[in-house]
Structure formats: structure tokens, C-alpha cells
Amino acid sequence: QVQLVESGGGLVQAGGSLRLSCAASRSIFLINTMGWYRQAPGKQRELVAAATRRGITNYADSVKGRFTISRDNAKNTVYLQMNSLNPEDTAVYYCNTNPPLHYWGQGTQVTVSS
């Protein structure tokens, strides 16, 4: 099991930006795909972005063009740069493998005000 600790969330106005970080307790070099997920109140957790160890990325349609996922295997860290945020992006954000194979961390709350 890998322990995952998310950080970087906060309160931001619509149109603003945030950068989330996910620190893993051990090397992610051999993990093929890492992903960022989010769960809004009353909704199921959804995958919003994923990155393979070879740098291939995929995004949910709702965030395409606004969010960028990246991974620094040397630092065992995965990032999510979020730009042009809107209130619909309000959620708790988590990272995990894709598919999710490890215990979920606490997540980091992102709140976007209109």
C-alpha cells in the first residue's frame, strides 16, 4: 500500500487557479497511471485527470483545457494545476492510482465561489 497525502486546496474565486499536490509514501516510478479524483457533495467520486509513467495524460471533458496533471517521479509527487476554476469544480480532491488500488487519503477541499 502507498500512503497518499493531498494538499494545496482552498477557497478561490471563479476564474482563479490552484495547484494541488499529492505526496506518496514510496516511489511511484513503477506505478503506470496516477490519477486525480474529486467528489462533490451528494455526488459519486469521479476521475478528472490521469497521467501514465510515460507522460500520456487524459482528462474528463469537464476539465479539459483547464486542468493539467503532472508527475515528478523523483519526488514521488503528482500535481494538478487547475485554472479558470468555476463553482462546479467545488469538491474534495483525491489522488490515487488509476484504477484506484490504495487507501484513499484525506483529500483536499477546493471551494470556488461565484
Side-chain angles (χ1 to χ4, degrees):
Q1 282 287 325
V2 178
Q3 290 183 320
L4 302 160
V5 179
E6 301 90 352
S7 62
L11 174 64
V12 64
Q13 289 188 332
S17 298
L18 285 172
R19 188 192 193 206
L20 307 184
S21 298
C22 169
S25 60
R26 64 169 176 81
S27 175
I28 62 171
F29 179 75
L30 294 179
I31 296 177
N32 187 51
T33 307
M34 292 295 299
W36 278 97
Y37 301 76
R38 68 184 181 188
Q39 187 167 21
K43 295 188 177 181
Q44 289 189 333
R45 192 171 297 173
E46 62 172 344
L47 177 69
V48 295
T52 70
R53 53 184 294 199
R54 295 186 177 183
I56 299 171
T57 57
N58 284 289
Y59 299 92
D61 288 343
S62 59
V63 308
K64 201 170 293 184
R66 301 187 297 121
F67 290 12
T68 303
I69 186 173
S70 60
R71 52 191 290 175
D72 187 335
N73 293 330
K75 295 183 178 179
N76 302 330
T77 302
V78 185
Y79 303 98
L80 186 68
Q81 177 67 43
M82 306 187 296
N83 299 327
S84 302
L85 285 162
N86 59 61
E88 289 70 37
D89 296 317
T90 295
V92 180
Y93 285 71
Y94 305 86
C95 69
N96 210 315
T97 54
N98 182 32
L101 299 175
H102 301 282
Y103 293 121
W104 295 98
Q106 297 283 344
T108 186
Q109 175 70 50
V110 172
T111 303
V112 185
S113 63
S114 57

